[in-house]
Structure formats: structure tokens, C-alpha cells
Amino acid sequence: MEKQDVLLNVQNLRTWFNTPEGVVKSVNGVSFHVDRGETLALVGESGCGKTVTTLSLMKLLGKNSVVTADELTLNGRDIRALSKEEARKIRGKEISMIFQEPMTSLNPVYRIQRQLGEMLRIHNPGISRTEVHRRSVDILRKVGVPNPDERLKVFPHQLSGGLRQRVMIAIALASNPAMVIADEPTTALDVTIQAQVIDLLKELQRDFNTSILLITHDFGVVSQLANRVAVMYAGKIVEEGPLKDVIERPLHPYTELLILSIPGIKVKKGGRLRTIEGQVPNPLYFPEGCRFHPRCPSACDRCHREEPPQITIGGQTVSCWLRAEEGQYDT
Amino acid sequence: MTHDPLIDIQDLQVHFPIKGGLLRRTAGVVKAVDHVSFQIDKNETVGLVGESGCGKSTVGRAIVRLNEATGGKILYQDQDILSLRGEALRKLRHNLQIVFQDPYSSLNPRYTVKRLIAEVLTVQKGYSTSEAYKRVGELLERVGLNPIYAERYPHEFSGGQRQRVAIAKALALEPEFIVCDEAVSALDVSIQSQIINLLTDLKEKYGIAYLFISHALNVIEHISDRVVVMYLGSVMELSETEELFLHPLHPYTRALISAIPMLSGREQRERIVLKGDVPSAANVPPGCRFHTRCPYACDRCRTEQPAMRQAAPGHYVACHQV
Ligand SMILES: Nc1ncnc2c1ncn2[C@@H]1O[C@H](COP(=O)(O)OP(=O)(O)OP(=O)(O)O)[C@@H](O)[C@H]1O
Ligand SMILES: Nc1ncnc2c1ncn2[C@@H]1O[C@H](COP(=O)(O)OP(=O)(O)OP(=O)(O)O)[C@@H](O)[C@H]1O
Ligand code: SF4
Ligand code: SF4
Ligand SMILES: [Mg+2]
Ligand SMILES: [Mg+2]
């Protein structure tokens, strides 16, 4: 890929929180990039740092946070240097965010009409009222909202959960942003509507060359949308590579286990579902050596003591001692 | 099987007025829940499924009195929940809890978790502050969170952790019944499994009953003893879980089940694709409300509403053609 194709570039991102318990190191040296028109999926279990990573990019974290990075650029511009006000302008216009919890981004006191209209006007100043209405109806229909005319007139609490999620997606996409960050965008949706939303994201990508950073635990959604996959564990990216390679030939034991825990591999009814043994470690006390070693079925002595280096094997990168002999060390 | 209803929903109706025009007159009515009846037994998990907007959350919210019902009854301990006021209503809320999909809706953002949960215990259960704080730690541990998290505010958690806080809060009053409204939908598979396992353990240990609302049939199949299938505000089919998934009778249920992606251990059925949109709940079709999308609809379906009848022991269905 040529350098100018990179829309978002993140190098060595660290996000720490000062809390009464101590310093919580939620994101620890994460690097990735998203090209124009590309979808990168960020996957990993709950608490591994996915949402904090995206909130750091959007400057949406509270005062107790410390964000550092070697590089943090959107479209060649340094995000770190932006003032709060400049960052606010970029959100919505250049980057749009679909949040994990819909009510965080919908304003409870305004009708949908107004919230959607506002986004359309940001992108098309001077647009007429009838045009705003026409486009609002159009985009709601595209995200699978039945009777869009009726829905425009209601407040968020009058919508069902699934409708709320679709309305939020419509608002995020209304301004044709260059980059969409979608945090678990389709989880509240029926399969059929989920497919509709995925199609819409693809259409947007095709028509406007939109880049998507997709955060999800659903490998089904990943496989329909992503070009590349980055797997995150305990504040770090442990494997990254093209979708097909990662799914067909996961190099990291964690990636392999994640793929194995996809439901559909049925257990006896009422029995216990398969999970990856143990829990994501508390960011206050990460284990020594490889952070995955307490849960890793292949851990050896060295894994307990030394952190594995990042290794490139073909188009994939991985941080695991098992692969140390197979590829090239990255420096 | 002994029949021991804990919650008995009889002919429940919940309508929302639609305001329109300049004077904001009532221009119509959304029949979100339209004559729904079913029971939840002690220590039982009833799954509630159906497409988005069919009224699942509205049923759940009516049981815990977050929505006012338009008609019908909900019996609990021989009282009609819908007519309770004041002190009696407050007492009821100890025993009946709800966990939402969006955990922010039940967590005050300005309070630490410790204060959020302790307040429930001191105000509602008369605990002393120190007793309450001790109990907060235990509750957090029970949902798989480190007790040191008690000092944090809701926004300082990941999505999955926040949902566990909401569950810990619901458990604080040791309820007899919990409505789980899409409580695991936004969580990753491993946390989803952990929470489902947790709910199952609590059921076994404390005899809790659940109304488990979800659009995900695989989760419903796993966790439920019985399943209620809703469409456009009404119950279409109701049966024990295994029976329902093996022998779905209603055309709508069959379409839903055919859409479950690859469950191993079962042949992939031919996918039945429903045509058209779900009609508006403000404009319910006459006759069988499913007729506009049903592949088997006949003249009778368009005019006459099918009654709910028992097709096999414990298996109820509302369709003219079964
Ligand atoms: N403001 C904060 N203060 C302290 N710790 C925080 C804060 N926000 C997040 N954390 C912690 O950082 C870690 C990563 O959280 P993050 O929200 O990024 O997880 P996630 O990968 O998005 O998980 P999920 O899938 O559950 O949403 C968690 O352990 C969380 O408790
Ligand atoms: N307060 C309200 N005012 C007006 N209409 C409402 C209100 N609450 C719900 N509705 C409408 O009632 C219908 C049923 O909503 P409900 O939230 O029960 O659906 P649901 O089955 O839970 O769907 P989902 O899976 O999307 O959450 C929807 O058409 C919804 O828009
Ligand atoms: S480095 Fe060792 S502990 Fe870590 S994932 Fe690889 S084998 Fe497992
Ligand atoms: S009653 Fe008629 S329209 Fe309704 S589900 Fe049965 S066959 Fe279809
Ligand atoms: Mg998250
Ligand atoms: Mg709902």
C-alpha cells in the first residue's frame, strides 16, 4: 500500500487512567493503520481495550486519562495537536462513531428528525427543509427502519432497542464521513436487519471510499465486512493480518480459541457453554512475560518470564514464542 | 409436571398514543402489546422472541411497572401487579427486577458503583452503611468483577463489565424474578457465555425465575425452559423449548428458526424468507396479523383472527392451518 492511502495511522498508542486503585494501563503500545476504503476489524474479549482505543482517537476520554503515541494521524493531520473544539468538529464530519450503547449518542430530549437533520446540515450547508426530510426518510429506510415518516417524529425512548440502534447508525452515516468507527454496531439487530446494515456499510464504502474501523466480537460480521483483522488482548494487538489468513490459519493461540468459542458449536441444553478458561487480566496487574500465559494451553517456561517479540510471517504479524522460529522479528 | 405460576399475565394490553398535528392531538394508537397471555412458573426461564419492534420489551417493562398497561392483569402472589400503588409497589420492586440491554439506563452516572448498589441496600433493605459496603464487594465477586472496582463510576468500565455491574445491582435485593431484556446481546461470546452460566447458577442456587428477552434464537434455545414467540404485539406460539425447536408449528416460528445460522448437530433447514416489512403496530392487519407476510395465507386468514389453541400437550399455537 502506498503511504498516501493511509487514512488513520496509530503508532504505539498508550492510554492509561489514574484511578484510586492505581494506574490502569488499558492500552499498551497499540499500532495499526486503516487505509482509505478499507475495513479493519478489531476483535477481542470484553475488557481488552477496544473501546478505550477508539475513544482515545476521538479525544473522548475524561480528565483522569493520559494518552500518548508516537504517531496519531488522520488524513495526515496530527490528532494529538487538536484542541477540544477542533476535535469536536472533526467528529461527525470526518470521523463518525457508532457507539456500543445507543443511548450514549442519542439526545433524549430531541426528536429523531432534529438529530438526523443536524447531521445532514453539517455536511450540506444551506440544504432545504424538504431536502433534509427526503434524505432523512431515505437513510432511515436504508438502515431498515419501517415507516420512516412516523419514526422521524418520535423521541428516542419511544423506539424499540433495535430501532434505536438503527437510527443511531443512520445519524452516524448521514454526513458521509471519511471514517466510521463502529463499536459493536449490529448486536441488537435481527439477522435479517443485520444483513441490511452490513450491505449499507458496504454500499457507503463503495460509493464514498469510506474507511471503517469495526469493533465486534462477532466473527460472522467480521467475515462479511473486514479486509484485515487485528486481535487485541490485554491492551495489546497480538495478531494482525488479512481476514482470510487469520480465520483459516490463526497464528496466535488466543485467536484460535476465540474462533473456537463462536456459538453454533452446540453444547447440551442447559449445560455450560464453552469459554476460554480464566479471565482477561485486570489492567492493574498484568502478568509477567506473555500476558496470555495464565490462560494459554501452550505456555512454556519462557512465556512466564519474557514477553514475546512481534514476528512477521507472510502477511500476518503475531506476538507469540511458538512462532519465534518461523518468521522474521520486527524491530 | 406440577404447575406453579409465579407470574400470570392475562390478556395484557399496552397501547401508546400517537400525537400528531399542530395541536398534538391523539392521532392514533400504537398497539405495542395486544392481548398477550402467558405464565412464568417458579424457578423457570421463559424465553421471549420475535423481530425488532414486536413488543418484547414492552411486555417486560409492564411486569416491572415501567410501562402503564392499557388493559389486562398480571398476577403475582395472588395480587394484580397492575393495580399496586405506593408502598405495595415499592415492595414488589424488591422481588421483580429488570436488566436492560443498555446498562446506562439503570446506572446513575454520577455515583460510584459502591454508592449505587449500597444505596439500594440501605434504602430498600435497611442495611447499615458498613454492612451495605461489605455486601457490594460480595455482589461484584458473584458477577465475576474484582471488588476493587467498587470505587469506579459507570463510564469507567468496559461495556461487558458495565453489564455485569447492572446485573449485580439487580441481584442486590435478592429478587425472585428478573426480566433480562437483551441483557447479553451486546457482549462478546465468552462474556456472553459467562453471564448465561451465571444466570443459570443463580437459578439453581436461589430458585430465581427469568423472563429472558432476546432476538437471538440460539441464546433463547440454550437458556429457556419454555419459549413464547411474539409477532406484532401478539403471541403466535408457546411451547417447551425442545418441542418448539424440533416441531415449530406456526409459519412465523418456522421462518425464524430457518434463519438461525448454522447450528451444528442439526440439518440446516431450507431458509424461509419472509417477504415485506413488519407492518406498523399503529395499523395492525385484520384477521391473522401475520397474513401480509405468511406464505400460506388464505381468505379466512385475511378476515378471521385465529384463536390460540393447544396442538400438543403444552404446545399452543394461533394459526388457522395447523
Ligand atoms: N475511565 C476509565 N477509568 C479506568 N479504567 C477504565 C476506564 N475506561 C475503561 N477502563 C478499563 O480499561 C479496560 C478496557 O476497557 P474497554 O472499554 O476498552 O474494553 P472493551 O475491549 O471495549 O470491552 P467490551 O467488549 O466489554 O466493551 C477495562 O478493564 C476497563 O475497566
Ligand atoms: N414510549 C413509547 N411511546 C410510543 N411508542 C412506543 C413506546 N415504547 C415502545 N413503543 C413502540 O412499541 C413497539 C414495541 O416496542 P418494544 O420496545 O416493545 O419492541 P421490542 O420487541 O423490544 O423490539 P427490539 O427488539 O427492537 O428491542 C414499537 O413499535 C415501539 O416503537
Ligand atoms: S507466547 Fe507463550 S503463553 Fe503467550 S501465547 Fe504464545 S505460547 Fe501462549
Ligand atoms: S392463520 Fe393464516 S396467515 Fe396466519 S399464520 Fe396461519 S396460515 Fe398464515
Ligand atoms: Mg467496548
Ligand atoms: Mg427491546
Side-chain angles (χ1 to χ4, degrees):
Chain A
M1 272 298 145
E2 294 207 43
K3 190 86 182 149
Q4 75 234 36
D5 277 346
V6 176
L7 181 69
L8 175 72
N9 191 9
V10 178
Q11 295 301 322
N12 201 17
L13 174 73
R14 285 170 203 276
T15 307
W16 295 359
F17 296 98
N18 294 310
T19 72
E21 310 126 43
V23 179
V24 176
K25 300 181 176 179
S26 297
V27 177
N28 269 279
V30 158
S31 304
F32 62 88
H33 65 95
V34 186
D35 293 333
R36 275 176 212 285
E38 183 194 43
T39 302
L40 173 71
L42 194 56
V43 296
E45 285 166 292
S46 180
C48 69
K50 305 180 298 289
T51 301
V52 170
T53 300
T54 60
L55 296 179
S56 314
L57 306 178
M58 309 264 296
K59 291 208 153 195
L60 282 172
L61 289 166
K63 286 200 194 72
N64 68 335
S65 63
V66 182
V67 179
T68 61
D70 293 346
E71 203 175 333
L72 209 58
T73 54
L74 178 73
N75 208 356
R77 198 161 26 147
D78 193 341
I79 303 177
R80 288 170 301 174
L82 298 176
S83 69
K84 281 250 159 191
E85 184 53 29
E86 286 166 324
R88 203 185 57 80
K89 276 196 190 137
I90 283 185
R91 292 199 298 268
K93 224 172 175 177
E94 287 171 55
I95 301 192
S96 252
M97 179 128 184
I98 299 172
F99 289 93
Q100 200 168 0
E101 284 131 308
M103 281 316 256
T104 31
S105 55
L106 290 173
N107 189 328
V109 302
Y110 295 136
R111 288 173 212 282
I112 304 306
Q113 191 163 278
R114 169 150 174 192
Q115 304 191 41
L116 193 48
E118 222 159 67
M119 284 317 273
L120 287 166
R121 283 195 195 92
I122 290 181
H123 196 66
N124 313 283
I127 182 176
S128 75
R129 271 182 77 156
T130 39
E131 186 59 15
V132 167
H133 183 80
R134 196 190 62 76
R135 290 200 198 177
S136 301
V137 168
D138 187 52
I139 188 145
L140 285 180
R141 188 165 287 135
K142 278 189 177 157
V143 293
V145 171
N147 319 305
D149 260 314
E150 268 173 45
R151 310 298 187 189
L152 277 172
K153 293 179 206 130
V154 305
F155 294 97
H157 77 267
Q158 295 176 309
L159 295 171
S160 77
L163 279 171
R164 221 177 270 159
Q165 195 168 27
R166 278 171 270 171
V167 165
M168 178 188 60
I169 293 170
I171 293 174
L173 302 184
S175 57
N176 293 333
M179 165 119 220
V180 174
I181 299 180
D183 198 348
E184 307 284 1
T186 59
T187 43
L189 305 178
D190 310 332
V191 243
T192 44
I193 294 163
Q194 192 170 317
Q196 223 166 320
V197 169
I198 289 172
D199 286 348
L200 176 68
L201 285 169
K202 280 187 180 157
E203 187 186 312
L204 197 79
Q205 198 154 43
R206 197 184 53 228
D207 295 352
F208 300 99
N209 210 23
T210 313
S211 305
I212 302 174
L213 177 58
L214 174 73
I215 296 173
T216 178
H217 61 260
D218 187 338
F219 265 97
V221 177
V222 170
S223 63
Q224 289 173 68
L225 262 177
N227 305 103
R228 282 186 300 127
V229 181
V231 180
M232 205 167 168
Y233 185 76
K236 291 185 175 243
I237 289 176
V238 295
E239 175 163 6
E240 195 264 344
L243 170 76
K244 201 162 166 284
D245 300 355
V246 173
I247 288 193
E248 282 175 10
R249 191 183 62 134
L251 295 175
H252 199 282
Y254 180 60
T255 315
E256 197 178 333
L257 286 170
L258 271 187
I259 294 173
L260 279 177
S261 66
I262 302 172
I265 300 165
K266 285 270 298 173
V267 290
K268 207 172 112 265
K269 182 181 144 32
R272 297 183 72 81
L273 289 170
R274 173 161 187 166
T275 56
I276 304 177
E277 289 294 309
Q279 286 184 13
V280 174
N282 185 329
L284 279 170
Y285 323 102
F286 281 128
E288 293 279 301
C290 171
R291 290 179 177 182
F292 188 55
H293 87 250
R295 303 172 72 192
C296 181
S298 320
C300 62
D301 269 359
R302 190 174 196 182
C303 307
H304 291 245
R305 287 177 279 114
E306 284 174 71
E307 192 163 351
Q310 184 173 307
I311 299 150
T312 300
I313 301 173
Q316 279 158 278
T317 59
V318 60
S319 303
C320 170
W321 285 119
L322 289 180
R323 306 290 171 187
E325 311 306 315
E326 290 173 43
Q328 281 178 331
Y329 284 41
D330 296 352
T331 40
Chain B
M1 247 180 70
T2 55
H3 199 58
D4 197 3
L6 177 72
I7 308 265
D8 187 358
I9 303 170
Q10 300 179 356
D11 203 32
L12 180 70
Q13 297 157 63
V14 184
H15 297 176
F16 298 106
I18 310 170
K19 309 270 185 198
L22 276 179
L23 298 170
R24 315 223 47 75
R25 284 207 199 91
T26 299
V29 57
V30 176
K31 296 186 175 173
V33 177
D34 205 14
H35 302 283
V36 162
S37 304
F38 64 94
Q39 300 173 335
I40 300 157
D41 290 351
K42 280 197 176 127
N43 201 13
E44 185 190 35
T45 302
V46 172
L48 184 55
V49 277
E51 284 165 294
S52 177
C54 71
K56 304 181 296 294
S57 298
T58 309
V59 170
R61 293 168 64 90
I63 300 175
V64 296
R65 287 285 301 272
L66 287 170
N67 275 334
E68 283 308 308
T70 313
K73 276 187 192 163
I74 301 178
L75 299 182
Y76 168 70
Q77 293 176 346
D78 303 322
Q79 301 178 74
D80 183 4
I81 293 177
L82 301 179
S83 62
L84 296 182
R85 301 273 175 278
E87 177 65 8
L89 181 58
R90 206 177 62 80
K91 277 232 176 82
L92 171 88
R93 293 213 161 113
H94 286 196
N95 294 340
L96 312 183
Q97 291 283 317
I98 184 164
V99 178
F100 301 97
Q101 173 174 4
D102 195 335
Y104 274 122
S105 30
S106 61
L107 303 174
N108 185 333
R110 281 182 296 273
Y111 289 0
T112 61
V113 166
K114 188 166 162 184
R115 177 154 177 214
L116 266 169
I117 300 179
E119 201 167 86
V120 174
L121 292 166
T122 50
V123 175
Q124 313 238 31
K125 284 222 127 174
Y127 277 52
S128 72
T129 314
S130 62
E131 275 171 347
Y133 285 168
K134 192 164 150 269
R135 182 99 178 95
V136 171
E138 291 165 14
L139 285 162
L140 290 180
E141 268 184 337
R142 197 186 283 175
V143 295
L145 287 174
N146 193 317
I148 59 170
Y149 286 148
E151 302 294 340
R152 286 197 188 174
Y153 292 89
H155 76 268
E156 296 177 324
F157 289 93
S158 82
Q161 292 165 341
R162 193 156 37 241
Q163 187 60 285
R164 284 186 271 178
V165 172
I167 292 176
K169 185 177 169 229
L171 292 175
L173 292 170
E174 295 162 35
E176 220 179 340
F177 172 74
I178 305 179
V179 177
C180 298
D181 189 355
E182 304 277 4
V184 299
S185 305
L187 308 179
D188 74 75
V189 219
S190 80
I191 293 289
Q192 198 171 24
S193 314
Q194 283 176 22
I195 291 191
I196 291 174
N197 290 343
L198 170 75
L199 295 174
T200 313
D201 290 348
L202 294 170
K203 182 180 168 204
E204 277 160 19
K205 253 194 225 150
Y206 305 99
I208 301 176
Y210 300 104
L211 178 64
F212 197 90
I213 299 174
S214 177
H215 65 277
L217 277 130
N218 52 346
V219 176
I220 288 278
E221 181 183 11
H222 181 80
I223 202 169
S224 314
D225 299 308
R226 285 189 303 142
V227 179
V228 175
V229 181
M230 269 181 89
Y231 181 76
L232 206 59
S234 260
V235 176
M236 298 288 111
E237 187 162 4
L238 188 169
S239 158
E240 270 177 28
T241 310
E242 223 174 271
E243 162 80 6
L244 187 90
F245 281 84
L246 283 174
H247 309 290
L249 294 175
H250 198 282
Y252 179 60
T253 315
R254 278 190 258 156
L256 284 184
I257 290 180
S258 80
I260 305 177
M262 34 152 227
L263 284 185
S264 62
R266 182 188 297 141
E267 302 258 310
Q268 183 68 47
R269 292 162 196 257
E270 198 180 330
R271 175 91 192 259
I272 308 168
V273 181
L274 294 177
K275 25 180 215 305
D277 277 347
V278 183
S280 164
N283 202 354
V284 177
C288 170
R289 60 191 66 215
F290 184 55
H291 86 250
T292 55
R293 299 171 77 201
C294 180
Y296 311 104
C298 61
D299 280 349
R300 186 175 173 208
C301 303
R302 283 180 267 274
T303 51
E304 190 187 326
Q305 192 172 329
M308 187 63 106
R309 59 180 192 81
Q310 188 161 215
H315 192 160
Y316 298 83
V317 60
C319 170
H320 290 309
Q321 303 196 15
V322 225

